[in-house]
Amino acid sequence: MTKGKISFVYTHYDRYIAGSALPLSPLKLESIDPLKSDYFLERRELGIINVGGNGSITVDGEKYFLGHKDALYIGKGIREVIFDSDDEKTPAFFYLNSAPAHQSYPTKKVSLSEANKLELGSVETANRRIVNQMIIGGIIQTCQLQMGMTELKRGSVWNTMPVHVHDRRMEVYFYLDVPENHSVCHFMGQPSETRHIWMQNYEAVISPPWSIHCGSGTSNYSFIWGMAGENLDYNDMDVAQITDLK
């Protein structure tokens, strides 16, 4: 995340894009070279979650206001998207996910309070957490993009345990609310041969369809998950037993 800029990472896993927009003054979303398109959303859909101060997103002339941890979905075919902050001293931090789209669906805002909330885990297993489903079927109609945010309760450090893979979808984790001088150890790889990477606040990691994706922090934290692929069933996953991990 860089103040005053829009930044992207393009992956060939399901042609997914993860990025950010941190406007100190209005920032216009432009197409990028890998897309070979006249405008960014010519063949794509876009999901946005604001993890900073209050801001707004103007979508083909219609303005949507996003507070902290509010989400916005923008469908295929929208030509102009402009990001702005209410106050440059406390700017909006817009986290962006985008996937190819075959059909246009309406733009829709989902506040954190409107998310579908799942309470999972327990204090005993150090993974008590709230899963906020935001850009997902039943709340917003999309082509293939899904996004939400998981918030760990104080005293819990493990996310997504037991781990799983889903061959039909890839996933990106974006870590936030990581306290200063703390980190999250993110686990990837095949269940029989795992790898790890240390993540800091406002960093994202791409998980291919064949990889597990979970983490454990030195404190509680939150993370945004984004997915795309051929299956929109959130529960379509192949669970790996904890004792089988190597």
Side-chain angles (χ1 to χ4, degrees), residues 2-24:
T2 305
K3 288 184 177 180
K5 291 186 178 181
I6 297 176
S7 305
F8 288 117
V9 172
Y10 179 99
T11 173
H12 284 274
Y13 288 113
D14 289 297
R15 308 289 174 171
Y16 206 82
I17 291 176
S20 62
L22 276 69
L24 301 179

Side-chain angles (χ1 to χ4, degrees), residues 23 43 49 78 80 94 96 119 121 142 144 161 205 209 214 231:
R43 299 184 297 272
I49 297 180
I78 294 295
E80 187 177 71
F94 294 115
L96 317 175
E119 295 195 28
T142 71
Q144 61 170 324
M161 183 61 68
V205 57
C214 73
N231 198 330

